[in-house]
Amino acid sequence: MMAATVVSRIRMGTGRAPVMWLSLSLVAVAAAVATEQQVPLVLWSSDRNLWAPVADTHEGHITSDMQLSTYLDPALELGPRNVLLFLQDKLSIEDFTAYGGVFGNKQDSAFSNLENALDLAPSSLVLPAVDWYAISTLTTYLQEKLGASPLHVDLATLKELKLNASLPALLLIRLPYTASSGLMAPKEVLTGNDEVIGQVLSTLKSEDVPYTAALTAVRPSRVARDITMVAGGLGRQLLQTQVASPAIHPPVSYNDTAPRILFWAQNFSVAYKDEWKDLTSLTFGVENLNLTGSFWNDSFAMLSLTYEPLFGATVTFKFILASRFYPVSARYWFAMERLEIHSNGSVAHFNVSQVTGPSIYSFHCEYVSSVSKKGNLLVTNVPSLWQMTLHNFQIQAFNVTGEQFSYASDCAGFFSPGIWMGLLTTLFMLFIFTYGLHMILSLKTMDRFDDHKGPTITLTQIV
């Protein structure tokens, strides 16, 4: 029952009419081919008539951030002021297909509590594919609309809270999806998450607290392994071998009550007195990475990485960022004020002012380096014995949701050197063509010619 209910709403956008599961499979394949950055969003509320039927939801339709705001605004303005956000690490519409208990096995569904909540909810809305950027800014959007900071809660803290129907509250409940670890089967994880949803809703029901709930994920759990293969045909060719994807290390995450600062680089190398060291394997995917000295608040953040020993001493790298409000753009912007390298009581300062962007975004750049041939974004006012190169650098210190970067503001300009050379070459060739055409149009023929029957034309020489 759960799978049919959820999937029918995924197929139609809202409502309770049953649909064929084949349609859901087509939706899933179309979503996988179109883009990898889509996640479903399930909304329900204890109030009535908050959402009208969605007319533009069809196979392959992706809900943008602007469309999502039109769906959320009525619920936040007219509905309950207590909002629950069930945020799962990974979730895709294929999960409803695989573990929804369909084809006669409805009693084996991994979403029984979610099915019951949707059946009993006076208002509900299911969006099968929501743009990843819209989801990445969902927490910030809800915080601004409600005027309340998100409160990370679990079952124990929820029972101790005294919610008031007249006071806004944004409760964030994180749900894991650890199928990639191999410790638990995906269905067991989804079943456990569904039980958490059921217990949270039971607690609110016992206290007779009106609410609006949303279930979504930070990123999709399933993506097309080979987009070209899916586009060309769903079947695999004979003797086709799957190309192993390269291992990608996770970002460095500084947490207090939640992830606050994310830092990632494909390669992290430093040099002291022209002796280079690769710190990539010592930084990313390391559980006991020393982050002592790291700090975060709404307007200031510092990520401190300490390595011991490095070049025979204890070395600390400090990435210092600040967020400020600019009235001209009516939004917050962040900038990395400086990068400090502490060693043996001395400090090397690098100016990194070009690392900047809107505070709701992360920052990405192919190279952040003190080496001139790699961009020279790290600038020092005095000669330094230290050098650093970060390849595919990405950092975010504000509005972090989970351990996933928000949309990246890239350092690459719109006009690359290749584009400039193409434009200049085109302009030069256009100038030659225009000059040649002008010369051709300026040619004049003689208006008098020799006539063998008449006198010879005499041209008087002008001195």
Side-chain angles (χ1 to χ4, degrees):
M1 181 64 184
M2 152 56 193
T5 303
V6 174
V7 174
S8 64
R9 299 183 186 188
I10 289 177
R11 176 64 176 83
M12 302 301 295
T14 187
R16 305 178 186 275
V19 295
M20 297 298 292
W21 279 93
L22 179 58
S23 299
L24 174 65
S25 301
L26 295 177
V27 175
V29 172
V33 173
T35 178
E36 298 180 359
Q37 301 298 335
Q38 302 170 17
V39 292
L41 176 62
V42 183
L43 299 164
W44 69 97
S45 177
S46 59
D47 276 15
R48 295 182 179 275
N49 302 324
L50 292 185
W51 297 288
V54 181
D56 58 350
T57 298
H58 52 80
E59 290 83 356
H61 176 76
I62 303 174
T63 303
S64 64
D65 55 341
M66 297 298 295
Q67 291 174 323
L68 182 59
S69 63
T70 61
Y71 299 145
L72 294 177
D73 284 344
L76 299 177
E77 295 173 1
L78 306 176
R81 303 295 290 170
N82 295 310
V83 176
L84 304 176
L85 178 57
F86 296 97
L87 189 61
Q88 193 159 291
D89 290 340
K90 300 178 182 179
L91 185 65
S92 296
I93 41 180
E94 292 91 339
D95 291 322
F96 295 103
T97 308
Y99 310 115
V102 295
F103 303 120
N105 298 320
K106 299 176 182 178
Q107 70 279 4
D108 197 30
S109 172
F111 305 96
S112 58
N113 290 295
L114 180 59
E115 172 203 5
N116 185 58
L118 291 176
D119 285 339
L120 300 178
S123 300
S124 63
L125 176 68
V126 177
L127 301 174
V130 181
D131 183 64
W132 171 76
Y133 169 71
I135 296 299
S136 66
T137 59
L138 180 58
T139 304
T140 304
Y141 175 85
L142 295 176
Q143 179 179 348
E144 294 177 354
K145 282 292 183 178
L146 295 173
S149 300
L151 181 61
H152 297 259
V153 298
D154 52 22
L155 291 176
T157 56
L158 182 62
K159 295 179 180 180
E160 298 176 359
L161 290 176
K162 299 300 181 182
L163 298 177
N164 191 328
S166 61
L167 297 178
L170 176 57
L171 307 182
L172 180 60
I173 302 98
R174 297 195 61 86
L175 305 174
Y177 189 109
T178 56
S180 59
S181 66
L183 300 178
M184 297 180 64
K187 184 175 181 179
E188 296 178 0
V189 177
L190 293 173
T191 303
N193 292 345
D194 185 70
E195 292 177 356
V196 173
I197 294 176
Q199 295 176 14
V200 170
L201 298 181
S202 297
T203 302
L204 295 181
K205 184 177 180 180
S206 63
E207 298 178 0
D208 196 21
V209 176
Y211 67 89
T212 296
L215 170 64
T216 187
V218 176
R219 58 186 182 274
S221 60
R222 301 162 182 244
V223 296
R225 292 176 298 180
D226 190 349
I227 297 299
T228 59
M229 183 190 72
V230 175
L234 297 179
R236 296 186 60 186
Q237 297 180 2
L238 185 63
L239 301 181
Q240 180 184 8
T241 58
Q242 182 180 351
V243 180
S245 59
I248 300 178
H249 43 256
V252 172
S253 176
Y254 168 68
N255 307 323
D256 44 22
T257 59
R260 300 300 187 185
I261 306 175
L262 298 179
F263 161 63
W264 188 86
Q266 184 176 341
N267 181 270
F268 179 19
S269 299
V270 296
Y272 181 69
K273 296 181 179 179
D274 295 329
E275 179 185 355
W276 285 91
K277 295 284 186 180
D278 188 352
L279 303 181
T280 306
S281 60
L282 302 177
T283 305
F284 305 100
V286 179
E287 296 183 358
N288 57 349
L289 181 64
N290 190 348
L291 301 179
T292 303
S294 299
F295 174 77
W296 179 91
N297 60 34
D298 291 335
S299 58
F300 182 81
M302 180 173 65
L303 179 63
S304 178
L305 307 176
T306 301
Y307 301 87
E308 183 180 11
L310 181 63
F311 301 109
T314 300
V315 182
T316 301
F317 301 89
K318 295 184 177 181
F319 300 82
I320 302 173
L321 303 96
S323 176
R324 298 181 180 87
F325 181 78
Y326 291 88
V328 175
S329 60
R331 68 193 310 179
Y332 283 89
W333 288 71
F334 78 90
M336 185 181 293
E337 295 188 336
R338 62 188 181 277
L339 169 64
E340 298 179 355
I341 303 179
H342 296 251
S343 177
N344 292 327
S346 63
V347 182
H349 296 269
F350 290 90
N351 180 12
V352 210
S353 59
Q354 295 187 50
V355 178
T356 183
S359 293
I360 62 174
Y361 294 167
S362 62
F363 176 86
H364 173 268
C365 194
E366 183 178 5
Y367 283 104
V368 173
S369 175
S370 59
V371 181
S372 57
K373 65 180 181 180
K374 294 184 177 180
N376 199 23
L377 289 183
L378 296 176
V379 182
T380 179
N381 295 328
V382 295
S384 175
L385 300 176
W386 289 93
Q387 289 182 305
M388 178 184 295
T389 294
L390 295 160
H391 177 45
N392 277 339
F393 168 82
Q394 190 166 6
I395 194 168
Q396 183 176 0
F398 305 97
N399 299 294
V400 174
T401 302
E403 296 188 357
Q404 183 79 11
F405 286 102
S406 299
Y407 177 85
S409 174
D410 204 280
C411 66
F414 180 77
F415 290 99
S416 64
I419 294 177
W420 278 116
M421 289 302 298
L423 289 175
L424 292 177
T425 304
T426 302
L427 291 175
F428 181 70
M429 296 298 293
L430 183 62
F431 170 76
I432 295 178
F433 173 77
T434 304
Y435 180 76
L437 182 62
H438 174 73
M439 295 298 295
I440 292 175
L441 296 177
S442 299
L443 292 176
K444 295 183 178 179
T445 59
M446 297 178 59
D447 57 354
R448 299 181 63 188
F449 301 92
D450 282 330
D451 185 0
H452 65 280
K453 294 182 179 181
T456 304
I457 297 177
T458 302
L459 299 178
T460 305
Q461 184 178 3
I462 301 177
V463 181

